[in-house]
Structure formats: C-alpha cells, structure tokens
C-alpha cells in the first residue's frame, strides 16, 4: 500500500514537477501560488536542478523558453496578473513548438483584482491570450491528487506534442490541504529531441525561431500547427462524469466549481432531481462531442463557474440550441453557494412552460 | 593573428581568411553596417577558441535577427528584449556550453533593460554582445536609448531633446555599479585598430566564460549608415567623432573589479 | 631583404562597395570598380598589388568579410 501524505495543492504541483523530471523552474512571487515557488526553491536545488526567482513573470517565461530550447523539462507558475505578463512568451513557446509547463493558480480579476480564487482566466487560457493562431493544451485539476497527477501528465503531453501545456487551477485548490498518493512510478522516459540546441557538434546547426519571412513559410508553419492541434483534438479530450447516465439536468463545471457542483448534485438527487456532472479535464481540447451527446438526453444544462460565464460559451457551442442553458456563477473571487446551484438545478428540472424561456 | 578558414598551400601563409564559423553567404545587412563586422569577429573568436560546436547564440529581433543564416552554430530566437532571460535559461541548463546573446540598443537598453540588469546582477556566465548603433535599425531609424543628444531620428525629427526624451544611456557605466559582472568593455568599429580591440574584447569575454568567470558584456559602437543617414565612410566617422565622445571607450570591469 | 609579396582575394559577390577598405588602406592598393556584381553593387578590386604591405587593415575593416590575404612564400626566398 503506498503511503498517503497531506499536502496543499500548490506543493502537490511542485512535487509532481520534480517527480516528472522538471529540470528547471522559474518563478516570480504572486499570491495565491507562492507556496509553489517556495516549494521549488526548497526542492529543486536539493535535486541539483535549476531554480531562479526571476525579475518578472516576463523574464520567467523567457527563461522557460531558454531551458526548453535545450530540450530540458521546464516550468513556470504564476497567478492571473502574472499570467497576463507571460502571454508574449506563451505565443513564442507555441510558435517555436517548445514543450513547457505553465501553471496558473487563478485569482480574482480584472486588474490587480484580489487574491481570492477565481476562474476568470478561462478565455485567456483556452482561446489564446497571446497573439497569433495557437493553442495551449489546458488541464483543469479538481483535487490535490489531480494537481499532482496532472502536473506529471502535463510534462508528458508537452513533450509528446511539442506544445506548451497550462495547468489551470485556482487559489482555493492551490491552498487546500488534502491527502494524496505521490507518484512513485519510474521516471518518465523523455523522448529524444533532435531539434534541441546543445551545440552543433557533429551535426548541422539547429535553429529555434518563429520569424519566418521566406515566402509562404509562416503559412506553412501555421498549417503545421493547425494539423497538430487537430491531432490533439482527436486524441486528447479528457473529462469525468458523475451520475450522468440517468440525469435529466446536466451540470458542466471544472476545477473548484466542479467540487461545488458535485455537492449540489447529491443534494438535488436527495430532493428527487436527477442531476449529473460532466467535468472537463481538458479545457482545450474541450469535450464538445460528449456534451453534444448528453445535451440530447437532458432537460437542461447548468454551467457553474467562478466567473461571469466564460466556459459557458464552449458549452453553448457544443450543445447548440437543443436544450435550455443556465448559468450559476460568481465573480471577483466569490465562490458559488452550493444551495444556489441546487436551486438552479431545480429550476432547470421543471417541465418546460410556455413562458419559461427567458 | 586571425584564424584561417582552411590551411593554405604550403607556399603561402595566411594573413587573413574568413572564419569557418561564418557561413559563406552574403549578408542582408546594408553596405557598411557594423553588424557584418560584429558577426565576422564573433565567428573568428569561435574559430580561434575552437568552441563553435559547443556554442549556442541567442538573437532577438533587430537587424541581426537572422544571425542563424550567418553564424554556423546553434542559435535561438528570443522575443524582443528577452534575450538575457532566454540565454539564462539555456546556460543554466547546459552550463558547459558557451552561450552568447547578440543585442541591439533597443533590445538591450529599452525593452529589455530589466532582463539585462538582472542577468548581469546574477552574474550569469554568459557573454552579451551589445551592438550600439544609436538607432533602431530594423524598424526604420527610430530613436534608441543610446541616441545622442540632438541626434535626429524619425521619432526625434528635431533632434533628441534631453529634457523630454532623456539622454543617451551608458550601459557599461550602469552595469559597472553592480557587484557581479566579470568583464565589461566598450569598443568601437571606428577604425582597423578599433576592430582589433573589438576582437580582443570578444576573445577576453568568451575565454572568461569558458573558464567559468561569469558575466561579460562587450558594447560595440557600430555604424548604421542607413539610419545615421550617412555614407558608410561618414557613418564610421560619426562613430568616432559623435559616438565615442558620448560613450567613452575602454574596459570598465576587469577580472570582476571596476577599473578606476 | 626582398620585399614581401601579398596576394589579396576579394570576393566580389560578398562585397557591397562600402569603400571602407579603400579608405583605410595606407598604400592605396584598393579601389572601387566601376563594374557591378550580380547584386548590382560596385565592388572593390586590387589596383596596385605590389604596394600591399599585408597589414590587414582592409580585411579587418570589411563588414562583409570579402577580403582574404595571403603572404606569398616566394617573397622570402
Ligand atoms: C514586442 C515588440 N515590440 C516591437 C517590435 C518591433 N521591433 C523589431 S526590432 C526593434 C528594435 C530594433 O532596434 P535595435 O534593438 O537597436 O536593433 P538594430 O535593428 O538597430 O540592430 C523593434 C522595436 C518587436 N519585434 N517586438
Ligand atoms: S538598417 Fe542599419 S543596422 Fe540595419 S542592416 Fe542597415 S545599416 Fe545595419
Ligand atoms: S593589407 Fe594593408 S596594404 Fe594591403 S591592401 Fe589591405 S590595407 Fe592595403
Ligand atoms: S570593405 Fe569589404 S564590402 Fe566594403 S568595399 Fe571593401 S571589400 Fe567591399
């Protein structure tokens, strides 16, 4: 029996990174992810790996770029305002196809906002954020165990697809303590990276670049990226379901909101409403097909988010107009009340009335 | 003396041959552009220290963005100004490789000043090659942090006014206030002697890195005839007579100590 | 002692006609050709080879690494 330990989510990410063979971490202080930066400060050097407290988030993400250029596994973490600063770097990482892991422990925004948990960076994470046609792979853990496990997955996916991977979580999960089982498997095999810059010994020089001025070259690069994204869409979609098989109301929520939704679903069932949860694990690629399927079987879909409603746009795109869609959420660091979610489920469960359409 | 490209015939002794670390293809630089000279000198130093195969360069945007076409070593791009951060990431992961950044004045002293100062302050064991041509070359001759007082550029059409646009930033002097740097030197491509000093400065800097001495920066005052709006010959004269008085030449930091 | 002989090779395709070499040569060995290379630029050429003292000021100054210089062994004989 493997030992279980008690850890907060931020530390669990840090330990995941170390066990995934992350060789370089670059960070800059910002609440609510500071535990992660300190964890890396304490543990990376002890493992003979690189830790730098950078002069800014901008510098940190570009240090990740440099580390990734050498083929090493590298990571940075921050929270919302800092992630905004990293957007330039993310665009370059995506363009140059450099495997890398970026953690966003979201807090309330916009602006400096506050340090309370939030999910208002969904658009930024899944729709781009930086300039150009690119995508990050976005993973959304909802337990401390998943914070740990998904970090390890993130490194593997980054290498497999030569793409930056974002772990999109929030301050609540970051600071929450939960028991978890630490990864004790073999160190992951890191694929060969013949493109990496290591010094042109016995080979032609390698170049990492995203400036492509030659006629048609940039379009070619974009076509290549889009083909890769298509592969990812086909291969990678991840989600989790809870009591969906007989559900008449489908709740869609990720991360912290999914925890609240689960509790609300149990309560709703106790009151006789058959609700179920679809929890996207990959926010990009988004589980569109599955949501479309479930939309055909339920009376309504409720989206719960700690935002003004961002993921709901993807749910809408997936479900189409076949079924009423409702939203329950709070902004600015507010956390949706379980009871409010239960009420929203009950409203959707009522047989449709002629005047009920809003 | 200069390294030779290929062993010459027994009957000849090489005085100067193009370095092998320089790809033998014409550059896109304008006639008389100092970037060409700087590339050539870097390639010579990679040859003479025999480090081409273990060197990784970092080139940001600017007229030298296509350094990978001309320097026969591994090269990474960097976003504008982030060059020292990218170089830091590379060097920390591969401490036994030789890592240099190649930056213009806009890149190093405007948008990338924070990265510049902090890489220097951490004493990163990298070599920073700073081509100061007093203007933004690639984007069309705008004012740079190193534009001289009174110098006309497309964004200082009446001349740089110190009261509203600041005075030229002297990067070597600024970095020399830090504890960590190992070698800081300013040279000028204003004459054959200046070119030789530049070669020597680069040699010192790269050698220091090989020996693990730490951060080195070589600022090269360099002609940009196009945006100085001068002929190549006049641009060299401008470097000598306009830039050198504003940016004193010499070694500012030697063996980790400020030079009095 | 017989004077040394130097041979200069100017790669006219690399040359951009900036004239920096012509300007720095202490012996007026070089000049700009009225002819153009394939890129439409006047290129430097050797007008006066015998005067060359092999000082390499031209090749040092050349931004385009267009000039190569060899010392001819026969000159020592
Ligand atoms: C974020 C960003 N801002 C602006 C630019 C446009 N840009 C390209 S090169 C450059 C400055 C070039 O000047 P310098 O660094 O002095 O190099 P030079 O061209 O003179 O060699 C600028 C502003 C850019 N590429 N990226
Ligand atoms: S614009 Fe200036 S810096 Fe750029 S290539 Fe031309 S001369 Fe050189
Ligand atoms: S080597 Fe000296 S003398 Fe000979 S051409 Fe060049 S500059 Fe003139
Ligand atoms: S210095 Fe070089 S590029 Fe300029 S004219 Fe002479 S040979 Fe040609």
């Amino acid at each position: 029996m493997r030992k279980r330990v008690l850890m907060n989510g931020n530390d669990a990410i840090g330990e995941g990174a170390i066990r995934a063979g992350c060789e370089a971490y670059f960070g800059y202080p910002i609440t609510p992810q500071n535990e992660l930066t300190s964890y890396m400060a304490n543990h990376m050097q002890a493992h003979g790996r690189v830790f730098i407290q950078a002069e800014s988030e901008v510098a940190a993400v570009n240090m990740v770029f440099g580390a990734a250029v050498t083929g090493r596994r590298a990571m940075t973490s921050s929270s919302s305002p800092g992630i905004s600063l990293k957007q330039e770097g993310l665009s370059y990482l995506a363009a140059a196809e450099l495997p890398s892991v970026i953690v966003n422990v979201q807090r309330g925004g916009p602006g400096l906002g506050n340090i309370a948990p939030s999910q208002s960076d969904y658009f930024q994470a899944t729709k781009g954020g930086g300039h150009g046609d690119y995508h990050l792979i976005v993973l959304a853990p909802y337990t401390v165990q998943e914070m740990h496990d998904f970090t390890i997955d993130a490194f593997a996916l980054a290498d497999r697809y030569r793409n930056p991977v974002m772990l999109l979580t929030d301050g609540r999960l970051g600071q929450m303590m939960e028991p978890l089982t630490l990864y004790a498997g073999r160190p992951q095999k890191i694929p060969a990276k013949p493109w990496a810059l290591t010094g042109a010994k016995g080979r032609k020089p390698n170049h990492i670049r995203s400036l492509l001025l030659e006629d048609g070259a940039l379009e070619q690069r974009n076509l290549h990226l889009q083909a890769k994204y298509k592969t990812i869409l086909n291969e990678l979609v991840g989600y989790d379901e809870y009591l969906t098989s007989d559900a008449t109301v489908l709740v869609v929520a990720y991360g912290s909101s999914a925890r609240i939704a689960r509790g609300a679903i149990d309560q709703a069932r106790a009151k006789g409403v058959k609700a179920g949860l679809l929890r996207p694990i990959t926010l990009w690629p988004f589980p569109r097909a599955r949501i479309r399927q479930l939309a055909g079987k339920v009376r309504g879909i409720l989206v719960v988010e700690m935002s003004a409603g961002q993921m709901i746009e993807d749910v809408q795109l997936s479900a189409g107009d076949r079924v009423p869609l409702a939203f329950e959420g709070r902004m600015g660091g507010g956390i949706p009340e379980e009871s409010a979610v239960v009420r929203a489920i009950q409203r959707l469960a009522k047989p449709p009335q002629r005047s009920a359409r809003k | 003396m200069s390294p030779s490209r290929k062993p010459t015939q027994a009957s000849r002794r090489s005085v100067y041959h193009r370095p092998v670390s320089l790809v033998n293809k014409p550059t896109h630089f304008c006639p008389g552009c100092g970037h060409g000279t700087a590339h050539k000198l870097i390639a010579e130093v990679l040859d003479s220290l025999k480090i081409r195969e273990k060197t990784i360069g970092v080139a940001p945007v600017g007229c030298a963005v296509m350094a990978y076409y001309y320097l026969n070593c591994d090269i990474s791009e960097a976003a504008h100004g982030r060059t020292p951060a990218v170089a830091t990431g590379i060097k920390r992961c591969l401490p036994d490789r030789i890592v240099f950044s190649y930056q213009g004045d806009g890149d190093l002293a405007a948008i990338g000043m924070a990265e510049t100062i902090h890489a220097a302050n951490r004493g990163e064991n990298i070599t920073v090659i700073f081509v100061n041509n007093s203007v933004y070359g690639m984007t069309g001759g705008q004012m740079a942090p190193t534009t001289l007082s009174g110098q006309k550029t497309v964004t200082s059409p009446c001349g740089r006014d110190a009261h509203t646009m600041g005075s030229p930033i002297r990067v070597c002097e600024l970095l020399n206030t830090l504890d960590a740097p190992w070698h800081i030197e300013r040279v000028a491509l204003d004459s054959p002697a200046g070119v030789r000093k530049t070669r020597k400065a680069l040699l010192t800097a790269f050698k220091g890195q090989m020996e693990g001495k730490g951060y080195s920066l070589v600022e090269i005052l360099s002609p940009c005839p196009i945006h100085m709006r001068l002929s190549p010959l006049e641009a060299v004269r401008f470097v000598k007579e306009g830039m050198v008085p504003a940016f004193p030449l010499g070694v500012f930091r030697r063996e980790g100590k400020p030079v009095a | 002692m017989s004077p040394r002989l130097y041979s200069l090779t100017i790669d006219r395709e690399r040359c951009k006609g900036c004239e920096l070499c012509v300007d720095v040569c202490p012996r007026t060995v070089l000049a700009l050709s009225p002819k153009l290379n394939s890129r439409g630029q006047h290129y430097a050429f050797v007008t006066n080879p015998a005067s060359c003292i092999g000082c390499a000021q031209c090749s040092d100054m050349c931004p385009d690494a267009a000039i190569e210089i060899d010392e001819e062994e026969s000159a020592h004989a």
Side-chain angles (χ1 to χ4, degrees), chain A residues 51-101:
Chain A
F51 169 88
I52 297 181
Q53 178 175 325
E55 56 271 30
S56 67
E57 289 86 350
V58 176
V61 74
N62 283 285
M63 289 175 186
V64 166
F65 188 102
V69 152
T70 71
R72 302 299 160 96
R73 287 190 161 176
M75 176 168 107
T76 183
S77 66
S78 188
S79 179
S80 309
I83 296 293
S84 291
L85 279 180
K86 290 187 196 292
Q87 294 305 321
E88 173 196 50
L90 294 181
S91 169
Y92 277 73
L93 284 166
E97 299 196 86
L98 291 174
S100 43
V101 174

Side-chain angles (χ1 to χ4, degrees), chain A residues 50 52 55 58 62-63 65-67 70 72 88 92 197-200 203 205-211 214, chain B residues 53 56 65 68-69 72-77 79 82 85-86 88-90 92-94 97 114-115 118 122 124:
Chain A
V50 178
I52 297 181
E55 56 271 30
V58 176
N62 283 285
M63 289 175 186
F65 188 102
T70 71
R72 302 299 160 96
E88 173 196 50
Y92 277 73
L197 305 194
T198 53
R203 60 160 167 78
N206 282 342
H207 304 142
I208 299 288
R209 59 177 177 137
S210 64
L211 180 84
E214 302 86 346
Chain B
E53 293 186 330
I56 302 169
V65 66
Y68 40 73
Y69 284 152
N72 193 13
C73 62
D74 278 6
I75 291 187
S76 177
E77 172 184 276
R82 314 305 169 215
V86 173
T88 296
I90 295 174
R92 291 288 186 112
C93 285
L94 298 173
R97 304 305 198 282
E115 284 82 357
H118 287 277
R122 288 189 304 266
E124 295 296 340

Side-chain angles (χ1 to χ4, degrees), chain A residues 136-215:
Chain A
L136 308 177
I137 293 169
V138 184
L139 305 180
Y142 98 134
T143 58
V144 172
Q145 181 73 58
E146 284 190 355
M147 296 281 256
H148 182 71
D149 295 347
F150 288 8
T151 302
I152 295 168
D153 295 342
F155 281 97
L157 294 172
D159 276 342
R160 185 190 319 158
Y161 295 109
R162 278 194 69 178
N163 208 68
V165 178
M166 177 174 280
L167 205 67
L168 188 69
T169 178
D170 64 67
R172 196 181 193 199
L173 278 162
Q175 309 209 312
M176 163 190 293
M177 302 277 284
E178 270 182 350
L180 77 157
T181 307
L182 295 174
Y183 178 77
R186 264 190 245 148
Q188 289 181 359
K189 247 182 96 182
I190 297 175
K193 300 181 181 178
W195 47 265
L197 305 194
T198 53
K201 194 175 166 75
R203 60 160 167 78
K204 282 201 178 131
N206 282 342
H207 304 142
I208 299 288
R209 59 177 177 137
S210 64
L211 180 84
L212 297 159
L213 296 177
E214 302 86 346
D215 212 21

